[in-house]
Amino acid sequence: MQYLLATSLLASLLSVASARVVNTERDSRPRAAYTLDNDAAGASIIAMKISLGDGTLSSPVKISTGGQGLLGNNANGPGGPDGLFGQNAIIVSEDYLFTVNPGSNSVSMFSIDNDDPTRLIPVGEPATTLGDFPMAVAYSSALKTVCALNGGKTSGVTCFSTDHKKGLTVLDEAPRSMSPALQQTTPPVGPPSTASNIFFNPDSTALIAVVKGNPGTTPPTASTFFVWPVVHGKVSTEAVISSPSDLLVNFGGNFVTNDMLMTTDASFGVALLKVTSDFNIVEEVHTAVTDQRALCWGAYAPRFNTFYGFDAGRTTIYEFNPTTAAIKGMFTFDATLQGAFDAAIDRTSLYFLTGVGNVAVVSLKGSNSGKVPRMIQTLDISFGGSTKNFQGEGGSSQESDHLVCLRGQETSLCLKAGMLDRITSLWTHPLQRPKTSLTITFLAWKLLLFFVAVSSPGPGYDTSTFLVQPSPSYVPGKFVRWDAIYFTQIARRGYVFEQEWAFGWGFTRILAVLGKGLTYFAIADPGNAEAVAGIALAHVSHLLSVLVLFALSNEILDSIPKAAFISAALHVFSPAGLFLSAPYAESPFALLQIAGYYFYVKSRKRGTTGGGCLCGYMEIVVSGLLFGLATTLRSNGLLNGILLAWDAVEYGIELLKGRFMMEALQKLTAVVVAGLFVLLGTAVPQYIAYQEYCSGPVARSWCNGSVPSIYAWVQSHYW
């Protein structure tokens, strides 16, 4: 068998896996490790249980991937170890596992059972990669995007969207080109000049793929890094290409900070690489390991502040400082294991593949205090079958050119952590699941505010609530203060006094409908239904406005998740405080405003019809509708009309100049319709008030104004 053990070695997984293993010794959730049997007759995932006590492995089971495996050719012919010439053939993120099927040119997606992580459930069908010999896969939970690296004759990168029910949907018409660095056959011949790996950076602002160089050419060929920026939430098709001259056989790496990548290179040792702001790859530190034979794989452990490098030429593991790349130490195990290959770290256990078909388990306990790591287990995963391909061609590895990665298993190890790890990662690495992190942050903050409100002693500084409702329910009564008294009263019995028209007509109508619904379903008593509805509406609207603001910021900032996350998080902690929790119009008004600007920005960025549809024009109309609804809640929503009026002037000038006649006419029509919605948002409440106060025998003085406005009258006369 040829096994591919999906490893935490690569940044797209290891940055997540690292976060999951911090301070999780007490996590009682089940854990598992996974391997891939790259069998041409039918590939399979091998899942193994991880003991919560000592980290040892047990109970391996096999699950079909739904595809076929395929081995590359090395100097000794087809097959043999390192059959994919790279790593990251399997990745685990959130509750999903993704793997490649090199023989059927596809990618498979599985969901992982939280109670039994060795139980994998296929999600959809394997998706074609549009290329040949997919050998590595990357996943961004922030983008909900999977990308596969094809290493065969039709090479390049293909990306997919993910859905928890449908599985993978291809996003591209053809793979992203990696020529001329990657020009191979199917199956490829290597390892020189073959694809190495693919991964997203920690902030999901770029996708990175690596192609090995060739030290045997004259002059030697350097490894090539392809970096595709993420623009508007999508992986771009044009790559930034870098080839640091010292990196000849770059194999793998981990991000040790947001922009620093520590890599292994079988030609010399390890290097620290910086990903610049313009997505170039620059070598910062070059560390030669004089006694290494094939330092190909690595694993980063923030808990121990150590990057571990694994020598496939002998069973030696090196320890490096992740900041300086200096060697901290090394430890060697039984030579009969024939090399140390792909690896992963979970809590205080290190797992690596040996050259004889075993997974070795090493205890790292005490490493920070000088204790030497010790091997505590080797687990045979051959299932009693032939190990010819699994072990390779005996001692026929090419040790002289440091390509001993041909020895042993081309394998990667993935770890499935428990629920506590995932929750911890939401705080330590919020950009991995930004919407979930924002939601949890929101809930925590709202619970704190809620506790402060309901636990405050006495009736409070504003006792007006008791004038209109002598015995309000305790919790709703804490939130019904100031303007909330007017909103809930008007929602309950309509507008009675003229000055009440200062309070948004749209918001009171929403509260009235929701209050009747709560009363009808006996969720709240009639005396408190409007207050309960207002409190619930405020909380839901505030949360949705946070999430929509995150999406809007991503659009404006060209998908810079960190900046978008910060802007949305700041809205959680708005200075408005409890006003965004009480029956006030501010929360739903903010939601409608932000959603309106989201569609407006989408329309402006789309520019024209895009793809032959009227999407951009419909988005501008939707933005106007949302602005109009916001105006019924708060009259200052009318100011949004200035933006649309400016656009109308711009498109009108284009039309008068005879430029882009049809396009300008369509744009002008869209913004005029959008503007009319905004105008209706203020005109409808004014019309209703006019009918009530101006159509009778005795009209109020404001009815005779050039533009009769009850709101302007109330503001000037009463306030």
Side-chain angles (χ1 to χ4, degrees):
M1 298 181 186
Q2 176 67 24
Y3 288 90
L4 298 169
L5 204 80
T7 184
S8 301
L9 169 59
L10 294 183
S12 60
L13 172 62
L14 278 198
S15 58
V16 179
S18 304
R20 289 178 173 172
V21 301
V22 178
N23 298 324
T24 58
E25 289 301 300
R26 298 181 182 179
D27 184 5
S28 60
R29 300 289 296 185
R31 312 172 84 86
Y34 307 93
T35 71
L36 173 65
D37 175 7
N38 187 32
D39 189 343
S44 301
I45 300 292
I46 299 175
M48 299 162 282
K49 293 182 179 179
I50 297 178
S51 168
L52 297 177
D54 58 8
T56 53
L57 302 173
S58 64
S59 307
V61 294
K62 297 181 71 172
I63 306 100
S64 172
T65 67
Q68 287 77 46
L70 181 65
L71 303 177
N73 293 323
N74 57 37
N76 301 305
D82 195 23
L84 295 185
F85 307 124
Q87 51 203 13
N88 221 30
I90 305 176
I91 57 172
V92 169
S93 181
E94 298 177 317
D95 293 324
Y96 301 108
L97 180 149
F98 305 91
T99 189
V100 295
N101 299 301
S104 51
N105 301 326
S106 62
V107 176
S108 298
M109 175 179 177
F110 295 86
S111 65
I112 302 172
D113 190 309
N114 280 321
D115 295 322
D116 179 9
T118 63
R119 180 173 177 264
L120 303 179
I121 303 97
V123 182
E125 297 295 325
T128 178
T129 62
L130 306 179
D132 299 326
F133 201 77
M135 45 71 62
V137 64
Y139 174 64
S140 166
S141 59
L143 303 174
K144 300 300 180 186
T145 299
V146 169
C147 295
L149 174 54
N150 296 290
K153 182 177 181 180
T154 303
S155 61
V157 172
T158 303
C159 293
F160 309 81
S161 64
T162 62
D163 182 89
H164 69 285
K165 292 183 179 180
K166 299 178 181 178
L168 301 171
T169 301
V170 66
L171 297 173
D172 306 315
E173 295 181 357
R176 289 159 182 78
S177 174
M178 298 178 69
S179 297
L182 186 55
Q183 294 181 330
Q184 275 288 346
T185 58
T186 301
V189 178
S193 304
T194 60
S196 287
N197 51 45
I198 185 171
F199 46 88
F200 285 93
N201 65 347
D203 288 343
S204 291
T205 57
L207 175 70
I208 303 172
V210 187
V211 178
K212 302 178 193 69
N214 190 343
T217 61
T218 304
T221 305
S223 300
T224 304
F225 291 77
F226 293 80
V227 183
W228 292 274
V230 173
V231 181
H232 310 324
K234 305 294 183 183
V235 179
S236 60
T237 56
E238 296 296 325
V240 178
I241 303 174
S242 304
S243 296
S245 59
D246 286 344
L247 306 182
L248 301 182
V249 192
N250 189 267
F251 215 90
N254 290 136
F255 274 95
V256 293
T257 67
N258 281 336
D259 60 356
M260 294 301 295
L261 175 67
M262 193 161 189
T263 67
T264 56
D265 192 300
S267 67
F268 66 87
V270 299
L272 269 175
L273 309 179
K274 181 178 179 61
V275 182
T276 66
S277 59
D278 56 356
F279 299 111
N280 281 293
I281 304 293
V282 179
E283 185 178 27
E284 296 278 318
V285 182
H286 183 100
T287 300
V289 181
T290 56
D291 55 352
Q292 69 94 21
R293 296 181 182 177
L295 216 165
C296 295
W297 286 273
Y300 175 47
R303 178 178 193 149
F304 300 104
N305 191 35
T306 300
F307 179 87
Y308 296 89
F310 299 83
D311 195 329
R314 55 179 185 165
T315 316
T316 299
I317 301 175
Y318 298 88
E319 299 171 300
F320 299 92
N321 184 308
T323 303
T324 65
I327 299 176
K328 296 169 58 176
M330 58 180 288
F331 43 95
T332 300
F333 297 114
D334 188 350
T336 60
L337 296 178
Q338 299 183 20
F341 296 83
D342 277 9
I345 298 169
D346 177 40
R347 300 181 297 176
T348 59
S349 297
L350 182 152
Y351 304 86
F352 72 91
L353 296 167
T354 72
V356 293
N358 296 331
V359 181
V361 183
V362 176
S363 174
L364 299 176
K365 288 183 178 180
S367 294
N368 286 335
S369 57
K371 189 174 181 179
V372 178
R374 61 187 182 89
M375 185 177 296
I376 59 175
Q377 181 194 21
T378 57
L379 177 69
D380 182 4
I381 55 172
S382 66
F383 284 88
S386 170
T387 59
K388 178 179 180 181
N389 289 335
F390 183 75
Q391 291 181 314
E393 297 293 328
S396 60
S397 58
Q398 301 174 358
E399 299 186 27
S400 59
D401 60 7
H402 300 287
L403 296 179
V404 186
C405 305
L406 288 170
R407 297 181 56 109
Q409 311 164 56
E410 198 299 314
T411 307
S412 306
L413 181 64
C414 282
L415 304 173
K416 170 65 181 175
M419 183 65 71
L420 181 59
D421 291 341
R422 294 194 296 275
I423 294 175
T424 302
S425 71
L426 293 175
W427 296 101
T428 57
H429 287 66
L431 296 182
Q432 295 295 334
R433 300 177 67 183
K435 293 179 182 178
T436 304
S437 297
L438 287 170
T439 301
I440 291 178
T441 302
F442 174 88
L443 294 175
W445 177 244
K446 286 296 186 179
L447 284 173
L448 175 61
L449 292 181
F450 188 86
F451 175 78
V452 170
V454 300
S455 62
S456 59
Y461 52 84
D462 177 18
T463 59
S464 303
T465 306
F466 301 94
L467 297 177
V468 296
Q469 193 174 354
S471 300
S473 296
Y474 182 79
V475 173
K478 290 291 186 179
F479 290 88
V480 179
R481 293 290 192 272
W482 291 357
D483 291 2
I485 298 173
Y486 283 94
F487 283 124
T488 55
Q489 280 290 96
I490 296 169
R492 185 177 300 118
R493 44 84 168 148
Y495 288 88
V496 175
F497 304 105
E498 191 177 50
Q499 66 267 27
E500 291 178 341
W501 283 88
F503 300 93
W505 175 84
F507 184 61
T508 60
R509 295 310 87 203
I510 294 173
L511 289 189
V513 172
L514 293 177
K516 290 178 181 178
L518 294 179
T519 302
Y520 178 81
F521 291 104
I523 297 174
D525 63 82
N528 294 287
E530 292 77 14
V532 173
I535 294 169
L537 178 61
H539 283 82
V540 172
S541 297
H542 188 190
L543 174 59
L544 292 177
S545 67
V546 168
L547 299 178
V548 177
L549 179 59
F550 175 73
L552 172 61
S553 300
N554 261 326
E555 291 292 331
I556 295 174
L557 301 172
D558 289 332
S559 295
I560 304 176
K562 184 175 182 179
F565 181 87
I566 291 173
S567 69
L570 289 174
H571 185 46
V572 172
F573 304 105
S574 169
L578 277 173
F579 288 99
L580 299 181
S581 300
Y584 273 68
E586 273 76 357
S587 283
F589 176 77
L591 172 60
L592 292 170
Q593 287 277 100
I594 296 170
Y597 279 106
Y598 172 77
F599 283 102
Y600 177 82
V601 170
K602 290 277 287 185
S603 172
R604 295 290 292 186
K605 291 177 70 173
R606 194 184 299 274
T608 58
T609 56
C613 72
L614 298 177
C615 303
Y617 306 134
M618 291 302 297
E619 285 165 345
I620 197 68
V621 171
V622 171
S623 73
L625 176 61
L626 293 169
F627 290 148
L629 292 173
T631 306
T632 68
L633 273 62
R634 289 178 61 88
S635 60
N636 54 356
L638 185 62
L639 296 175
N640 295 306
I642 298 175
L643 187 68
L644 298 172
W646 180 276
D647 286 349
V649 172
E650 177 186 346
Y651 301 145
I653 292 174
E654 287 185 6
L655 194 61
L656 292 174
K657 290 182 177 180
R659 296 185 304 180
F660 315 111
M661 293 289 290
M662 181 56 67
E663 182 180 330
L665 181 60
Q666 290 174 324
K667 289 180 178 179
L668 182 60
T669 302
V671 296
V672 168
V673 172
L676 288 175
F677 279 130
V678 178
L679 184 61
L680 286 172
T682 191
V684 168
Q686 298 295 331
Y687 176 77
I688 295 172
Y690 186 88
Q691 289 294 104
E692 180 174 347
Y693 291 98
C694 303
S695 60
V698 180
R700 297 289 290 164
S701 59
W702 61 268
C703 299
N704 299 319
S706 56
V707 181
S709 171
I710 190 173
Y711 183 78
W713 166 256
V714 168
Q715 289 292 327
S716 62
H717 187 71
Y718 291 99
W719 304 134

